[in-house]
Amino acid sequence: MPVEKAFVSGNEAVALGVRLARPHVISAYPITPQTTVVERLSEMVEDGSLKAEFMYVESEHSALSACMGASSIGARTFTATSSQGLLYMAECLHYASGGRFPIVMMNANRSLALPWSIYGDQRDSLSLLDCGWIQVYVEDAQESLDMVLQSYAIAENGKVLTPVMQNLDGFALTHTYETVEVPTSEQADAFLPPFETPYKLDLDKPKNMAFSTGPADNMEFKYQQHKAVLDAVKVISEVDESFYIHFGRRYGGMTEAYRCDDAEMVMVTLGSITGTCRAVVDELRVEGWKAGLLKIRFMRPFPEKEIMDLSTHVRAIGVIDKDISFGYEGTIFTNVNSALSKARTGVYALDFIAGLGGRDISRQDIRKMFGHLKDGLQGIELNRVRFINIGVAI
Amino acid sequence: MSTMLSRPAIKKFKKPLHISEYPTGPCFEAGHLVTENAGWRIERPVVLPEKCVGCYYCYLCCPEGVIFKSEDESKIEIDYAFCKGCGICARVCKSDAIEMIKEACF
C-alpha cells in the first residue's frame, strides 16, 4: 500500500495527528503562532472528516477548563496554546494534572512579554515545568504528527493518567513546511485504543469529583502524581517501541543521542534547534572534532539516567537554553547540571543562553559554543552562563 | 420527601495504610467529607421541638447539609460533628424554633 504523504507545516502536522487520534472534544482559543493548528482542526470538524465537538471559548483558562470537564466524563480531549495563553492557563494546568485528566495539549513555544514579542523561545513552557504535566519537545513536522498519537498513549496509560504538553518551537517548527508521512486511520486505531477512564462521572454510579483534602491526606495525592510521572519513563519507552511496530518510526524515548558513542564534547538541545546542531556536529566531525549531540525529548519526566550515563564517557557538555531563569541560569542547564552532580563524573559544563525572543541561532553560533567547550577543556576560565549572539558589547 | 431528608448511612472512615488504597486523583465513589471540622463553632443551633412545625426550610438552607430527619421521622436533628454554627437555620426559621446557644454553655 502506498504511503500517503503531505506537505504541511508543523501546526498542520499536529492537526493531522489529532484527527487520527479521534478526540471527542477540542477546545481552544487562538494565539500566534498556534492559530493554524486550531484553524485546521475547526475545518476538519466543519467538513465532517473529524467527528468532534469544537468548543470555541473566550479564553485559554476556559479552553483547558472545558477539556477537564469533558475528560471527566471519559472524553478524549485536545487543546493548543502558546506563550501568554499558556500562562493564562497556569491555574488550570495544575488543576488538570492534579485531577489526573489525560488531556493532550500542543504548545507553540513563544517568548513572554515584556517587551511584547510573538517570536520563538522556550521560556513559556519551561517556566511551567513544575505544573505536573509531562512535557515533550519535538524537532520536526513528522515528529509533531507522530507524537500526538504517542502523547495520548502515554497520557491515558493507567500507570500515568497525566496530561501531556507537546511543545513545538514557534515559527521555526509551527510554520515551516515539510513532507510528512500520514498514517491511515486504521493504523492509528490499531495503535491507539479508545480512551477508557476508570473515573468516569456517571449518573448511575455517582462520584465525588475534584474534591478537596485536608493536610491529613493531601500529600499522598502529590506523592501519587510524582510516582505517575516517574513511572511514565518506562511507558514512554514502551509506547515508542509499540509505535515503531505499527508505523516503522521511533524516536528513542526520553532522548536521542547523535554521534555520542565516541564523543568528547556533546551539545544538549531541546526542540527544533536540534536539526541545525546535527548539521554542525557533522561538519565538526569532518574537521576532526569528536563532537556529539544529545536531544532531550522529555523535560518531565527528566532523562536523568541518560545524562548520567553520557557523563561517564564525555569530557564536556554544553546546553543550549532558549530560556533563562533571570539571576541564575537556563532551566535546562539547571536540570542537566543536577543530573551531572549526581553522577560525580566531573564533566565540564557550560550553559549557552541563545535565541531569546526569536533571535536566530546559526550554525556559526553553535560552532562558537563548541569552541567555548574546547577552550574550557584547555583550562581557559569562562563564565558558566554565556549569552550567545548578543549584538552589542556587554 | 422523607427519603430526601433521610440521612445517608455513615460509613466509618478507614485511614488508608498503603498508597494504593487512595484513589488515583481526587475522584471517588461516595466520597463523603471525613474531616470533622466543627471546632470553630462558637454558637450551637438547638431545635425546639415544641415550636418546630416541620416545614424543613432549615434543611433547604443549611449550607453544610448537616440538618436531617430523625430515624422515626418525628423531629429535625443536627449533626454537630460538621455544623459550623453559621446560624442560617435559626435566621430563616419562620417559627423561631431554632435557638443559637453559646458553646461555652455546654
Side-chain angles (χ1 to χ4, degrees):
Chain A
M1 197 171 62
V3 180
E4 190 197 330
K5 290 190 176 177
F7 186 62
V8 291
S9 68
N11 275 347
E12 288 168 344
V14 167
L16 290 172
V18 171
R19 179 161 64 183
L20 288 169
R22 299 183 191 272
H24 301 92
V25 173
I26 298 163
S27 176
Y29 188 83
I31 179 169
T32 303
Q34 155 264 39
T35 312
T36 50
V37 66
V38 285
E39 278 178 1
R40 291 300 91 79
L41 287 168
S42 66
E43 287 162 11
M44 290 169 182
V45 172
E46 176 86 10
D47 70 21
S49 64
L50 170 54
K51 304 237 177 313
E53 190 71 35
F54 190 98
M55 297 176 70
Y56 185 55
V57 290
E58 85 289 359
S59 76
E60 288 85 356
H61 192 280
S62 298
L64 191 49
S65 298
C67 285
M68 282 194 273
S71 187
S72 74
I73 59 160
R76 181 173 281 161
T77 57
F78 179 80
T79 185
T81 189
S82 177
S83 182
Q84 312 295 134
L86 181 69
L87 264 63
Y88 191 24
M89 273 183 187
E91 178 193 0
C92 301
L93 291 172
H94 288 262
Y95 229 97
S97 58
R100 309 298 295 274
F101 300 119
I103 299 159
V104 171
M105 170 165 71
M106 186 206 104
N107 178 54
N109 282 122
R110 168 185 142 178
S111 186
L112 298 170
L114 281 169
W116 187 257
S117 168
I118 58 164
Y119 296 102
D121 66 33
Q122 295 167 335
R123 286 181 53 227
D124 52 358
S125 55
L126 288 173
S127 74
L128 288 161
L129 210 47
D130 296 340
C131 69
W133 285 52
I134 290 169
Q135 281 198 9
V136 59
Y137 292 76
V138 293
E139 179 184 343
D140 57 28
Q142 185 71 62
E143 193 181 0
S144 303
L145 188 159
D146 293 348
M147 277 315 290
V148 174
L149 294 171
Q150 287 205 26
S151 292
Y152 280 110
I154 295 162
E156 293 169 3
N157 183 292
K159 292 193 190 92
V160 179
L161 283 177
T162 296
V164 173
M165 185 194 301
Q166 179 176 328
N167 293 281
L168 279 72
D169 280 307
F171 294 112
L173 179 49
T174 59
H175 285 61
T176 298
Y177 279 71
E178 294 179 273
T179 306
V180 298
E181 290 187 9
V182 186
T184 63
S185 55
E186 290 75 26
Q187 280 178 307
D189 290 348
F191 168 75
L192 184 67
F195 171 43
E196 298 284 345
T197 173
Y199 304 104
K200 190 175 169 184
L201 202 58
D202 185 343
L203 282 175
D204 294 328
K205 284 173 89 180
K207 292 179 183 67
N208 264 10
M209 183 153 270
F211 54 65
S212 53
T213 63
D217 298 289
N218 197 294
M219 201 160 157
E220 281 73 9
F221 287 92
K222 296 298 126 188
Y223 172 79
Q224 281 186 334
Q225 277 183 260
H226 178 60
K227 182 155 189 311
V229 179
L230 284 178
D231 288 348
V233 172
K234 190 160 174 276
V235 174
I236 285 164
S237 145
E238 289 166 359
V239 165
D240 198 41
E241 275 311 301
S242 164
F243 192 87
Y244 177 69
I245 291 163
H246 283 86
F247 304 99
R249 287 186 296 277
R250 66 179 144 202
Y251 294 95
M254 299 291 288
T255 59
E256 184 208 326
Y258 182 67
R259 304 188 87 159
C260 280
D261 287 349
D262 64 338
E264 280 186 357
M265 291 183 286
V266 167
M267 200 62 69
V268 174
T269 60
L270 193 67
S272 63
I273 192 61
T274 309
T276 312
C277 195
R278 218 186 284 270
V280 172
V281 166
D282 288 343
E283 276 175 22
L284 292 174
R285 283 276 173 173
V286 171
E287 294 164 28
W289 296 48
K290 286 191 168 178
L293 154 69
L294 186 78
K295 166 183 163 185
I296 291 183
R297 300 186 67 244
F298 285 83
M299 278 299 289
R300 285 294 179 274
F302 190 71
E304 183 183 72
K305 184 184 174 299
E306 288 79 356
I307 287 160
M308 287 172 76
D309 290 350
L310 182 72
S311 77
T312 60
H313 61 88
V314 301
R315 293 179 64 210
I317 290 178
V319 175
I320 304 179
D321 260 299
K322 287 164 77 170
D323 73 285
I324 180 156
S325 178
F326 300 114
Y328 195 37
E329 58 196 15
T331 298
I332 309 168
F333 185 77
T334 301
N335 283 266
V336 169
N337 207 33
S338 166
L340 292 179
S341 73
K342 287 168 202 155
R344 294 169 182 248
T345 42
V347 170
Y348 182 75
L350 289 178
D351 184 16
F352 303 111
I353 308 295
L356 298 185
R359 173 91 29 116
D360 189 36
I361 305 173
S362 66
R363 278 161 54 192
Q364 283 308 320
D365 292 330
I366 297 173
R367 288 183 68 97
K368 242 181 259 169
M369 297 177 201
F370 275 105
H372 289 313
L373 287 178
K374 195 176 212 178
D375 289 348
L377 282 179
Q378 284 169 357
I380 296 169
E381 225 21 63
L382 294 171
N383 287 337
R384 294 247 287 178
V385 179
R386 312 189 60 80
F387 276 71
I388 298 298
N389 198 14
I390 280 206
V392 294
I394 49 172
Chain B
M1 190 69 179
S2 67
T3 49
M4 278 183 66
L5 282 166
S6 298
R7 197 154 205 246
I10 294 179
K11 286 182 276 183
K12 183 84 185 142
F13 175 65
K14 190 173 153 284
K15 174 84 181 163
L17 296 175
H18 189 270
I19 194 78
S20 61
E21 293 169 49
Y22 276 93
T24 304
C27 175
F28 199 58
E29 278 171 41
H32 290 296
L33 188 62
V34 293
T35 311
E36 295 190 5
N37 52 0
W40 61 55
R41 187 176 63 228
I42 55 167
E43 286 186 328
R44 179 185 301 196
V46 173
V47 183
L48 310 171
E50 66 278 11
K51 285 191 175 179
C52 175
V53 296
C55 71
Y56 307 126
Y57 194 49
C58 55
Y59 160 82
L60 280 175
C61 295
C62 173
E64 297 296 326
V66 299
I67 296 177
F68 62 101
K69 247 185 188 177
S70 65
E71 263 180 36
D72 62 3
E73 303 200 353
S74 66
K75 56 184 177 180
I76 286 290
E77 290 197 67
I78 294 170
D79 186 341
Y80 292 115
F82 295 101
C83 166
K84 297 192 178 74
C86 69
I88 287 174
C89 54
R91 180 71 175 263
V92 298
C93 179
K94 292 182 170 65
S95 311
D96 290 331
I98 301 177
E99 265 182 37
M100 297 302 290
I101 298 172
K102 289 221 178 311
E103 278 297 327
C105 302
F106 291 93

